[in-house]
Amino acid sequence: MKYLAALSSGILILPALGFAQYPGAVRPPADLAPGFEAISQAFAREVLGFLAGSTTEGRGTGQPGFQVAADYVAAKFKEFGLKPVGDNGTYFQNLTVYRATPIADSVSVSIDGSAVPLKAGLDLTFTNLVGDVDSTGMVAVLSPGKDEVLAKTQDLSKKIVIVSARTVSPKLRTAISLQQPLAVLYVDDRAAERSPNVSLSKPVNSPQQNFVGTIRRELAAKILNAMESGGSMALVGGHDTTEVVFLKKSIHITAKFEAEGVQVPNVVGLLEGSDPTMKAEIVGVGAHLDHLGINHGVVYPGADDDGSGSTAVVSIAKAFSINPRKPKRSILFMTFCGEEKGLWGSSFYSDHPIFPHNQMISELQMDMIARDSYGPQNGNIRRTDLEKDNVKTMRLVGSKRISTELDKLVQEMNQYIAFKFLYDSEDVYTRSDHYNFAKKGVPIAFLFDGFTPDYHQPSDTLDKIDFVKLVSAARLYYLTAMTLANQVIPPKKDVPQK
């Protein structure tokens, strides 16, 4: 079956309107051109300028800035005529998360029974806790090296590990975790109070021994010096090889938290299909709205991750509202919360679907679609990209795993965009919200631009966004969603699932 036939009968080609984004792109069909053109760089700059701006403070799940962003997207959905299908006739599908804040003066550190003076809320902070902390263990100090390799003799099990860096590569972080340390504290020089911990689980009463957090360099040096002369030298990095120093005294860390349940939303809006029968079937278009928020007083704007994808979702909604030709099937527009926490929002939707999963014929996901990748990909130095080689590339992930027909459709729609598709990032298949739909048997296609050194850093900012690429990705999925909504037969699930 040729999908182009489903796009338009009697295709009319418009005069040159500057539609081609990359060399080789052809102009879209005339009856889809108004919506296609409505997806513009000017509108994308307006939307992303807000989502990655100061008002939303990095859109951290459970932080005030996320709700500001959610309200903005909901207002756009309303402006473009989408039907609110969330809770109680709103655009919000809410889930409850628990926000934990340290109780004043409850955080303590002692070495062999001797207390270490702390600056409350500054010296020691914790991440993703589900209860109080009461942990005792021997200390190991890890100084990351360029090799990012832990030797077999560097056994971190049951140790409280102090890592002499604020962040490490995913490869080394995984290596540390696999050794099952009691706790891991990353050294962070910034003296600012951490934002409250947010968890899906209601905090438990019993204290936990295992945790991850940050420790100020001043406190880390104080602890090491109290344990052995010259111990603070272990905090010096820049080695070729990863070094671990095992100290001979134990450390005891305690903390108590108070928690409150807060509501955070997925933002959902429906464009109802024009066909009385086919409108019961759904095409999903999604991105995650959250990012890392405020961390240690520093805002992580998340312009590409995933302000770019959310901007594209809003842009596609605008395109459908403007285009005279309407889809026969319904289009469900979704921006998810909590992706950065572990796909929380899409998991909640998956467990509490607004529409049965068997009615969703495809889900089109976007997560990071506006950069030219460079540097190691997914932490693998053997897969190092050069920016100049990725000006018109886009990763297409998971599109062949359930329905090869969906993959062929996206490729066919790409004649109007002329991306160079790369299929080298299946290792991120489980790392964005489409995965929760794929697990339910929904055919998915995931657009992803690859990694840069700005990934999950405060430097993921608006000034680095490639708006040609963002707009091109949105236009591609506009055409794909329209085709899926109008073709007679949905993509077949032609790949056997294990």
Side-chain angles (χ1 to χ4, degrees):
M1 153 182 243
K2 290 294 285 181
Y3 294 103
L4 287 177
L7 256 180
S8 175
S9 57
I11 290 176
L12 299 175
I13 301 299
L14 293 180
L17 292 176
F19 281 129
Q21 296 299 307
Y22 299 113
V26 301
R27 300 182 188 92
D31 61 350
L32 299 184
F36 190 93
E37 188 175 13
I39 301 174
S40 66
Q41 291 187 48
F43 182 70
R45 286 181 185 276
E46 172 194 327
V47 175
L48 187 52
F50 184 88
L51 294 181
S54 59
T55 307
T56 61
E57 299 179 325
R59 310 183 307 280
T61 295
Q63 297 181 11
F66 179 82
Q67 189 61 52
V68 172
D71 289 340
Y72 177 85
V73 172
K76 289 297 182 185
F77 282 1
K78 181 178 181 180
E79 178 184 346
F80 300 139
L82 301 187
K83 179 181 178 181
V85 291
D87 302 341
N88 304 314
T90 69
Y91 291 100
F92 299 141
Q93 183 194 38
N94 287 292
L95 62 151
T96 300
V97 302
Y98 296 91
R99 189 163 55 199
T101 306
I103 297 173
D105 301 324
S106 72
V107 180
S108 70
V109 176
S110 61
I111 301 171
D112 285 350
S114 299
V116 178
L118 299 179
K119 296 177 181 177
L122 298 178
D123 277 340
L124 198 62
T125 58
F126 306 87
T127 60
N128 294 339
L129 288 176
V130 292
D132 296 339
V133 168
D134 191 338
S135 188
T136 302
M138 305 299 286
V139 174
V141 183
L142 186 150
S143 299
K146 297 176 182 177
D147 63 346
E148 300 180 336
V149 173
L150 283 175
K152 292 182 179 180
T153 57
Q154 296 171 328
D155 183 8
L156 305 179
S157 62
K158 306 301 181 184
K159 303 293 192 301
I160 293 178
V161 181
I162 297 176
V163 181
S164 65
R166 180 171 61 85
T167 58
V168 299
S169 72
K171 175 183 175 181
L172 185 54
R173 185 180 291 269
T174 299
I176 294 170
S177 177
L178 288 174
Q179 294 211 17
Q180 298 183 315
L182 199 61
V184 183
L185 292 170
Y186 293 90
V187 172
D188 194 333
D189 291 323
R190 292 173 298 185
E193 192 165 351
R194 188 181 180 87
S195 299
N197 297 294
V198 178
S199 172
L200 272 182
S201 303
K202 190 173 183 178
V204 296
N205 293 327
S206 58
Q208 62 187 67
Q209 289 187 303
N210 303 95
F211 64 90
V212 176
T214 62
I215 184 170
R216 277 215 308 160
R217 184 172 297 271
E218 180 181 345
L219 174 61
K222 189 184 300 182
I223 291 172
L224 268 58
N225 282 326
M227 287 189 164
E228 60 178 28
S229 178
S232 62
M233 293 302 295
L235 295 177
V236 178
H239 314 286
D240 289 329
T241 58
T242 298
E243 297 183 359
V244 178
V245 175
F246 295 94
L247 306 183
K248 298 177 181 179
K249 294 182 180 180
S250 66
I251 188 173
H252 183 206
I253 299 175
T254 64
K256 293 184 180 298
F257 293 81
E258 52 187 4
E260 61 175 332
V262 295
Q263 297 286 297
V264 293
N266 296 323
V267 188
V268 287
L270 184 74
L271 176 61
E272 199 166 49
S274 61
D275 185 274
T277 301
M278 294 175 69
K279 70 179 183 180
E281 295 182 323
I282 307 291
V283 178
V285 178
H288 73 87
L289 184 58
D290 69 308
H291 192 55
L292 303 180
I294 299 176
N295 203 334
H296 287 277
V298 176
V299 175
Y300 288 67
D304 190 33
D305 184 13
D306 186 28
S308 63
S310 294
T311 296
V313 171
V314 172
S315 296
I316 296 168
K318 178 183 179 181
F320 273 98
S321 74
I322 286 175
N323 203 76
R325 189 183 184 202
K326 301 303 179 184
K328 294 180 180 179
R329 291 185 177 90
S330 299
I331 313 290
L332 180 62
F333 294 88
M334 305 169 286
T335 62
F336 299 107
C337 65
E339 191 271 354
E340 300 289 7
K341 296 291 187 180
L343 314 186
W344 287 359
S346 57
S347 179
F348 184 83
Y349 181 95
S350 179
D351 291 339
H352 307 86
I354 296 171
F355 302 96
H357 291 300
N358 61 9
Q359 291 178 212
M360 185 173 283
I361 67 166
S362 296
E363 201 270 336
L364 308 176
Q365 187 73 15
M366 295 167 283
D367 188 348
M368 300 167 57
I369 55 167
R371 293 290 301 273
D372 302 332
S373 63
Y374 70 99
Q377 297 302 294
N378 206 13
N380 186 349
I381 59 174
R382 298 177 185 175
R383 291 170 50 203
T384 298
D385 280 7
L386 298 176
E387 194 169 9
K388 64 182 179 63
D389 295 333
N390 287 280
V391 172
K392 60 178 288 185
T393 63
M394 184 64 68
R395 267 80 180 185
L396 185 54
V397 179
S399 56
K400 301 177 182 179
R401 289 186 178 235
I402 298 175
S403 171
T404 60
E405 288 190 358
L406 178 58
D407 178 76
K408 291 174 184 176
L409 169 59
V410 177
Q411 291 190 51
E412 195 158 1
M413 294 305 99
N414 189 46
Q415 70 175 294
Y416 303 110
I417 308 299
F419 278 133
K420 176 186 176 183
F421 283 141
L422 301 177
Y423 289 85
D424 63 348
S425 291
E426 291 298 313
D427 54 351
V428 301
Y429 176 66
T430 62
R431 287 176 52 179
S432 196
D433 293 305
H434 61 276
Y435 183 58
N436 284 316
F437 292 90
K439 288 194 296 185
K440 299 295 185 179
V442 177
I444 67 92
F446 172 38
L447 295 183
F448 165 63
D449 60 25
F451 294 100
T452 74
D454 299 310
Y455 174 68
H456 281 189
Q457 299 299 318
S459 52
D460 181 6
T461 49
L462 186 68
D463 58 298
K464 297 174 182 175
I465 291 297
D466 180 347
F467 282 96
V468 171
K469 183 167 280 189
L470 191 163
V471 165
S472 296
R475 287 175 169 179
L476 174 65
Y477 266 2
Y478 160 69
L479 296 174
T480 303
M482 182 70 87
T483 306
L484 286 166
N486 287 326
Q487 65 187 32
V488 176
I489 302 174
K492 294 178 181 178
K493 300 179 185 181
D494 55 0
V495 180
Q497 302 297 298
K498 296 180 181 179

